[in-house]
Amino acid sequence: MAMLLEVFKHLFKKRATLMYPFGDREKIPVPEGLRGKISFNRDLCIGCGLCARFCPSGAAELVEDEKGKRPIFHIDRCLFCAQCEEVCPRKAITLTKTFEIAGFDRSNLVVK
Amino acid sequence: MSFSSSYERFFDIPIGPQHPALKEPILLRLIVEGEHVVAADVDVSYTHRGVERAMQERNYIQNIYLAERICGICNVAHTLCYCQNIEGLYDVEIPSRALYIRVLVEELARIHSHLLWLGVAAHEIGFDTLFMYIWRDRERVMDLIEEITGNRVTSAINTIGGVRRDIKPETCDRCLKAMDYLEERIKYYKKVCEIDPTVIARCAGVGILKPKDAIRLCAVGPTLRASNIKNDVRADDPYAVHDEVPFNVIVYDTNDTLARVLVRIDEMLESINMVRYCIEHMPSGPVRVRLKLSPPVGEHLSRVEAPRGELIHYVKSNGTEKPERYKVRTPTFGNIPALCEMLTSKGDYVVNIADVPIAFASIDPCLSCTARVVMLDREKEKLWVGSLDRLRRWRGWG
């Protein structure tokens, strides 16, 4: 009963719910420095393997390609803690603001 | 257990482990006589995850993120406790700007946790209007945490040797603005909880825990403070910069669920003032010192006042990059015996079955943090999870 007045006032106010994912995508606040999907720059990587060593969930896997050792990132295992970004000595790894990364196929969730 | 009654009829009602009224798996075994609960037993062991063992297999940096995932809602308290613990092994001085940011984020997390709890409690008593409004306002704190740390829930702000991100001046301004808004809203919710007949009818006189029982059963956090006992780790054993940031320890003397509601609301108001103080008095300087990966040999224990109560972490290091032993005691674990006391009718105090959900919710249970007793009989190669009843009757292995 104590909230009746408050409830009536809200009849004339804007809706608080964002209708995401059916709209209101642009209204979602995405702050600077959000830890989203990893992006990786192969040219900067020196293959030191620190990202794989410190990754808490095993999302960074060290593999060999024509230029030597390099990590690949399994986003389906990623915790978005940004520890790899922090330990990378060459700033080859950055976490972008992309957060809509759900998918039906795990092979799409690998960052190379 | 044996009882006698004029009816001589007791029913054993199991609530859980899967039940619509429960958010997490727990078995509440209630012995009822008619509508009254005469005894309660709790089995919290449905969510054992082996976190402590997993920590021994990972290095100290990876363990920050594992400790964070012991509990989603108190993740800041867990990482803070973990990082303090490991820093205690190194015996280093942490930059004071880092400590201020830690306290700032910790108090924001406390506001978010208490608002979440208040919404859940309103939902448990069937007052969904209050629940909706509270959770709408909680989004303001979540947005602030997201802006400061980079994620809404798992903040990953604390690290060994300080914090991972500095706070920007424009974020501070937005933070102060949000605090003004929240203060007004929380004061309004306090008024609602004090005068609304629904809240009073469902909370006043329900789940009574007398002060002497609270001490005897080692209750912690807001549950203890609602039983009129002044105990708060932030005041009794100050960590980070809690010795510099002023605040009052809130106590209420009615010992019931309503007191636990009001304790949490007043704590939020204290937290808002602490956030303001931290922003205004934040020193400049570095936010982190770099430390070696392997701490020296030794052991350390650290205590933090998590939103739910006293949280204890213990570490034993053998000089390698992985801990030899890690032990966590979460606040819900400390409150489970007190919960059994609340759910037991005694003399004039009766517990109805309908009061069980709100009395249970009043300790702010977080069970996935709690379950961690598994017993292993090596000779018979048998593994089982111990119930409270069995632990009470413990006579040794066999």
Side-chain angles (χ1 to χ4, degrees), chain A residues 10 35 53 81 83 86, chain B residues 65 136 149 164 288 321:
Chain A
H10 277 80
R35 302 193 304 267
R53 187 176 167 207
C81 64
Q83 183 64 40
E86 195 182 306
Chain B
Y65 307 104
R136 181 198 65 190
T149 68
R164 294 174 68 199
R288 185 171 183 180
E321 63 178 37

Side-chain angles (χ1 to χ4, degrees), chain B residues 100-154:
Chain B
Y100 267 91
I101 293 175
R102 278 182 180 182
V103 170
L104 170 70
V105 179
E106 188 200 5
E107 294 308 322
L108 284 177
R110 193 183 312 278
I111 297 170
H112 126 64
S113 173
H114 282 352
L115 279 177
L116 177 134
W117 177 82
L118 203 59
V120 171
H123 174 69
E124 294 287 354
I125 61 176
F127 196 172
D128 275 348
T129 315
L130 186 59
F131 159 67
M132 298 280 179
Y133 282 110
I134 288 173
W135 277 41
R136 181 198 65 190
D137 293 334
R138 174 172 167 264
E139 285 302 310
R140 287 296 284 265
V141 196
M142 305 301 282
D143 288 346
L144 275 182
I145 294 177
E146 187 179 26
E147 198 170 333
I148 294 171
T149 68
N151 210 333
R152 266 164 62 87
V153 181
T154 41

Side-chain angles (χ1 to χ4, degrees), chain A residues 1-3 6-7 10 16 29-35 52-57 79-83 86, chain B residues 58-59 61-62 65 69 127 129-130 133 136 146 149-151 154-156 164-165 185 188 196 288 293 321:
Chain A
M1 294 300 282
M3 292 190 77
E6 178 85 7
V7 173
H10 277 80
V30 183
E32 281 306 310
L34 180 87
R35 302 193 304 267
R53 187 176 167 207
F54 286 105
C55 180
S57 58
L79 300 176
F80 306 103
C81 64
Q83 183 64 40
E86 195 182 306
Chain B
R58 284 164 174 76
N59 66 36
I61 296 291
Q62 291 171 321
Y65 307 104
R69 277 155 184 83
F127 196 172
T129 315
L130 186 59
Y133 282 110
R136 181 198 65 190
E146 187 179 26
T149 68
N151 210 333
T154 41
S155 59
R164 294 174 68 199
R165 292 188 182 199
R185 293 303 301 175
Y188 172 71
D196 192 274
R288 185 171 183 180
L293 182 57
E321 63 178 37

Side-chain angles (χ1 to χ4, degrees), chain B residues 249-266:
Chain B
V249 180
I250 308 290
V251 288
Y252 272 81
D253 58 0
T254 48
N255 310 337
D256 56 0
T257 303
L258 189 60
R260 279 168 221 135
V261 173
L262 295 174
V263 160
R264 286 187 173 98
I265 292 179
D266 281 358

Side-chain angles (χ1 to χ4, degrees), chain B residues 97 147 166-176 279 282:
Chain B
R97 188 176 174 86
E147 198 170 333
D166 205 348
I167 184 166
K168 295 188 199 86
E170 62 265 26
T171 311
C172 291
D173 295 342
R174 264 197 288 276
C175 198
L176 288 175
I279 290 176
M282 193 172 288

